[in-house]
Amino acid sequence: MIDPTQVIEAFGKKTSSLLVPTHTHSPSPTALPTVIPNVPIYEKVGETGTKTLWVVFVLMFISTLAFYYLAFRVPVQKRLFHVITALITTFASISYFAMATGDGNSFAHIVVKEAHKHTPDTVEHIFRQVFWARYVDWALTTPLLLLDLAFLAGMNGANITVTIVADLIMVLLGLFAAFGRTDGQKWGYYTIACIAYLVIVYQLVVPGRRAVAAKSNSTAKLFASIGGFTLILWTLYPVVWGIGDGARKWSVDAEIIAYAVLDVLAKPVFGFWLLFAHAKNASAIDGFWAHGLNNEGSLRVGDDDE
Ligand code: RET
């Protein structure tokens, strides 16, 4: 018979070697460079950015209601500026609502390649949140803002068309630039967009001023002041773009705040200024856009006599 203690002893002898560490690990320097996988960098909206989007939505919405109210208070032939201005803030309200609720954005994928002297080249993947709703808003509202100015000045159809088309090119290329994969693509689109912007500036400064010179002194003064305000403000947009989406020196939140300030000045403030100044200066627009083809709103003496 086998004594169970003998079995335990025998087993203990056999497995004792298993209890001894078989391998001791001591880190030793290796000749091969360590490969650390690139962690993608995400740049996205934070709490401050979302709050700012909500605040601007409320401001745009209240201004829209005020502009429609003002529109209904004036006779139809004096309503064109009111309608254009109210539509501008209507679009802006919708766009800000979309952005505040987390819609109207996607991530631009930027690939940054870096060459190193002693180690292999590295590739960095950056994903930055781009609010494309902004560009949809601009594509609809900046032509309307320009129409406000063009009608105020009394510009001709050819000059208005060039201005509006240049504006659409500028906004679309701004959108392409925001989603540009490489620096070449991004800044290439940006440069062409800036040239389009210069076309707009030229149209307002040269043909715009020439056209308004034929109007009353007060209209010419209003065009100079509100046009100057517009040009200063609009020039800040490509600057913000360059620092934000372009060079990515600003966080997404900082960019949202900067655009928020500019948008409030460019839409509600511009709108109230134009409408109150226009109310004092009723002769600012005439012809088809005020009266239509049938001279709507005019008193026609003798119509019933025939
Ligand atoms: C972009 C980037 C590409 C170069 C240029 C730009 C200009 C944008 C402008 C926007 C104006 C927007 C307004 C909005 C009102 O709410 C597209 C930023 C030149 C001038 C007035």
Side-chain angles (χ1 to χ4, degrees):
M1 241 179 99
I2 303 167
D3 182 358
T5 50
Q6 277 180 301
V7 175
I8 292 166
E9 256 172 41
F11 189 73
K13 268 181 205 154
K14 268 252 182 268
T15 55
S16 64
S17 64
L18 292 174
L19 300 172
V20 174
T22 52
H23 172 77
T24 46
H25 178 76
S26 59
S28 61
T30 155
L32 292 169
T34 316
V35 178
I36 302 166
N38 267 343
V39 182
I41 299 167
Y42 282 88
E43 297 174 2
K44 61 192 290 271
V45 64
E47 211 180 303
T48 316
T50 307
K51 274 189 193 148
T52 310
L53 292 171
W54 277 117
V55 170
V56 181
F57 161 70
V58 172
L59 289 176
M60 292 291 180
F61 187 68
I62 294 171
S63 311
T64 304
L65 296 180
F67 291 143
Y68 282 120
Y69 172 74
L70 291 175
F72 283 110
R73 275 183 24 155
V74 296
V76 71
Q77 67 273 30
K78 286 187 185 168
R79 210 178 276 168
L80 185 64
F81 289 114
H82 296 71
V83 171
I84 294 177
T85 308
L87 287 172
I88 291 169
T89 50
T90 303
F91 285 129
S93 306
I94 299 168
S95 146
Y96 267 93
F97 177 79
M99 294 191 284
T101 54
D103 207 355
N105 70 79
S106 26
F107 284 85
H109 181 187
I110 304 123
V111 183
V112 181
K113 286 192 187 120
E114 264 175 41
H116 305 282
K117 253 190 174 173
H118 304 295
T119 47
D121 294 356
T122 51
V123 176
E124 202 173 25
H125 295 271
I126 298 160
F127 293 88
R128 187 177 171 99
Q129 198 170 21
V130 173
F131 285 88
W132 51 258
R134 213 180 269 301
Y135 296 87
V136 177
D137 169 350
W138 293 350
L140 295 164
T141 57
T142 51
L144 290 173
L145 284 164
L146 290 171
L147 275 185
D148 261 342
L149 291 174
F151 285 140
L152 181 66
M155 280 166 71
N156 64 50
N159 288 129
I160 293 179
T161 307
V162 171
T163 313
I164 303 289
V165 173
D167 179 65
L168 288 173
I169 292 173
M170 174 189 81
V171 175
L172 278 180
L173 292 184
L175 176 64
F176 293 171
F179 284 100
R181 263 191 155 229
T182 59
D183 270 358
Q185 220 174 37
K186 182 191 287 190
W187 295 110
Y189 284 136
Y190 180 85
T191 308
I192 311 171
C194 286
I195 296 170
Y197 176 58
L198 291 180
V199 172
I200 301 171
V201 175
Y202 171 81
Q203 289 298 327
L204 292 179
V205 172
V206 182
R209 275 216 311 204
R210 198 187 306 130
V212 85
K215 291 200 153 194
S216 70
N217 226 355
S218 58
T219 308
K221 268 193 184 157
L222 175 61
F223 181 76
S225 51
I226 207 165
F229 171 75
T230 300
L231 288 187
I232 294 170
L233 218 54
W234 282 41
T235 305
L236 294 174
Y237 279 87
V239 175
V240 170
W241 193 99
I243 307 171
D245 273 331
R248 295 192 328 279
K249 296 263 182 254
W250 275 354
S251 65
V252 173
D253 276 6
E255 183 190 300
I256 287 176
I257 295 168
Y259 280 137
V261 175
L262 293 180
D263 284 354
V264 170
L265 291 171
K267 283 170 172 152
V269 173
F270 171 94
F272 282 115
W273 181 359
L274 181 71
L275 296 190
F276 285 120
H278 175 241
K280 280 195 247 154
N281 182 3
S283 68
I285 190 159
D286 221 339
F288 165 78
W289 287 103
H291 304 286
L293 288 176
N294 298 324
N295 234 6
E296 191 183 343
S298 309
L299 278 179
R300 274 171 285 186
V301 181
D303 264 5
D304 297 332
D305 298 351
E306 290 157 25

